[in-house]
């Protein structure tokens, strides 16, 4: 086996710190009952080595890179159909996975938001997600109301997952080293199966609120509900970054009765 060349257009930075890889692999909580784990973008298999040692679950790998797939097929012949050559963002989960699984990886930074939204789409199946993101993306995911990092992705993820920041990884742990710090986080599915509101409207309200985050919601939501239909609810007089998930749900319910 040779080596795999990191490709800039795929956002590849291969982790070469085995201690960090071990800690990421150990971040998954097998007591949650999943029996399948999908690693996204395994590259040369530094994280895969630790995942494949675990006996509590079956490990699947997915990579869009031809060179990586060829390398991994040679390195892990035992994987067979569990080595998937394809795009995670286009993956049909029902083809490979049952009703409980986990997702893990050193995620390509250039598509990290799309990866998170793909997991949200599969939230009834993905009971846990762990892995490495650009540090500022991980910080946005775990941010709490009132902080400047708190935004659309914070609300959407925290509506359905408990999100924790685990540790920071320096650029020297990668080849080639990225120009940013990296952060490892873990998301564990909460018990929410229904937000208790019109979910399409909820997403619309959250997006509209944060798209003009310097304005109060009375101004930023005027494209969702006419100002003359807004009540005197004090939530309208706050900026989006001040609202909790529960606040957004309550406001969505109020708006749905008024439009």
């Amino acid at each position: 086996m040779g080596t795999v060349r990191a490709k800039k257009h795929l956002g590849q930075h291969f982790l070469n710190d085995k201690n960090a890889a071990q800690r990421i692999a150990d971040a998954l909580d097998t007591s949650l009952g999943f029996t399948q784990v999908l690693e996204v973008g395994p590259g040369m298999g530094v994280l895969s080595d630790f995942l494949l040692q675990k006996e509590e679950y079956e490990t699947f790998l997915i990579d869009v890179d031809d060179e990586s797939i060829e390398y991994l097929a040679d390195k892990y012949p035992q994987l067979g159909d569990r080595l998937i050559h394809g795009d995670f963002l286009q993956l049909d989960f029902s083809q490979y996975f049952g009703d409980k699984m986990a997702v893990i990886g050193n995620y390509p930074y250039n598509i990290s938001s799309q990866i998170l939204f793909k997991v949200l789409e599969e939230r009834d199946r993905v009971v846990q997600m762990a892995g490495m993101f650009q540090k500022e993306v991980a910080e946005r995911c775990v941010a709490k109301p009132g902080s400047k990092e708190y935004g659309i992705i914070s609300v959407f993820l925290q509506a359905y997952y408990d999100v924790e920041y685990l540790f920071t990884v320096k650029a020297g742990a990668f080849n080639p080293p990225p120009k940013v710090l990296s952060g490892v986080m873990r998301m564990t599915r909460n018990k929410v199966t229904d937000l208790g509101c019109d979910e399409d409207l909820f997403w619309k309200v959250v997006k509209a609120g944060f798209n003009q985050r310097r304005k109060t919601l009375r101004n930023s939501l005027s494209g969702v509900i006419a100002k003359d239909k807004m009540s005197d609810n004090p939530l309208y007089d706050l900026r989006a970054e001040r609202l909790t998930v529960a606040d957004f749900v309550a406001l969505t319910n109020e708006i749905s009765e008024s439009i």
Side-chain angles (χ1 to χ4, degrees):
M1 292 187 300
T3 58
V4 179
R5 179 178 50 88
K7 297 162 192 70
K8 192 173 183 181
H9 74 282
L10 293 177
Q12 290 174 330
H13 295 276
F14 295 141
L15 182 64
N16 55 22
D17 182 328
K18 292 194 174 182
N19 180 53
Q22 175 82 73
R23 290 177 72 190
I24 295 169
D26 290 345
L28 291 178
D29 179 3
T30 54
S31 72
L32 295 172
F34 54 83
T35 56
Q36 297 169 308
V37 170
L38 175 62
E39 183 189 355
V40 180
M44 292 175 62
V46 172
L47 175 57
S48 319
D49 285 341
F50 293 100
L51 298 173
L52 289 164
Q53 291 171 20
K54 309 280 187 180
E55 295 179 356
E56 300 94 330
Y57 51 74
E58 274 192 315
T59 298
F60 292 70
L61 312 181
I62 183 168
D63 210 304
V64 74
D65 181 18
D66 301 352
E67 196 180 358
S68 278
I69 287 292
E70 191 176 333
Y71 178 91
L72 295 164
D74 195 22
K75 185 176 182 181
Y76 307 121
Q78 74 274 26
L79 280 176
D81 292 343
R82 290 186 287 132
L83 176 60
I84 305 166
H85 188 186
D87 181 350
F88 174 76
L89 300 178
Q90 306 299 324
L91 182 66
D92 178 358
F93 276 57
S94 64
Q95 234 184 299
Y96 298 93
F97 306 109
D99 59 354
K100 271 191 175 186
M101 51 94 66
V103 176
I104 196 167
N106 168 31
Y107 303 105
Y109 294 168
N110 58 346
I111 57 165
S112 53
S113 294
Q114 295 101 302
I115 288 170
L116 289 164
F117 280 109
K118 176 72 170 179
V119 168
L120 270 178
E121 286 173 17
E122 297 290 341
R123 60 185 176 269
D124 292 337
R125 193 187 307 269
V126 180
V127 297
Q128 193 165 63
M129 178 187 198
M132 186 121 56
F133 293 88
Q134 187 173 329
K135 186 171 187 278
E136 67 176 43
V137 172
E139 287 173 339
R140 284 206 299 272
C141 295
V142 305
K144 298 302 178 195
S147 66
K148 67 182 191 318
E149 292 83 14
Y150 186 68
I152 293 172
I153 196 73
S154 322
V155 175
F156 287 168
L157 292 180
Q158 292 172 34
Y160 300 103
Y161 286 90
D162 298 325
V163 192
E164 311 161 80
Y165 189 95
L166 299 181
F167 60 94
T168 301
V169 180
K170 293 183 178 176
F174 300 88
N175 180 33
K179 294 178 180 174
V180 293
L181 291 174
S182 302
V184 176
M185 69 169 192
R186 174 173 56 207
M187 309 188 334
T188 305
R189 189 72 169 87
N190 62 25
K191 296 197 175 354
V192 174
T193 54
D194 183 339
L195 284 181
C197 66
D198 177 333
E199 292 191 12
D200 288 339
L201 182 58
F202 171 82
W203 287 54
K204 195 181 290 185
V205 167
V206 173
K207 285 179 178 176
F210 282 104
N211 281 341
Q212 300 183 72
R213 63 183 296 146
R214 294 191 175 187
K215 295 183 177 180
T216 65
L217 292 168
R218 197 169 294 281
N219 291 310
S220 63
L221 296 183
S222 58
V224 178
I225 174 175
K227 282 190 178 182
D228 60 2
K229 291 190 174 181
M230 294 181 186
S231 72
D232 58 0
N233 187 330
L235 290 177
Y236 281 119
D237 300 316
L238 300 176
R239 291 177 176 178
E241 67 196 39
R242 308 298 305 181
L243 272 66
T244 64
V245 172
D247 290 335
F248 275 113
V249 169
L251 199 56
T252 300
N253 279 326
E254 183 175 312
I255 289 170
S256 69
E257 291 172 8
S258 307
I259 58 175

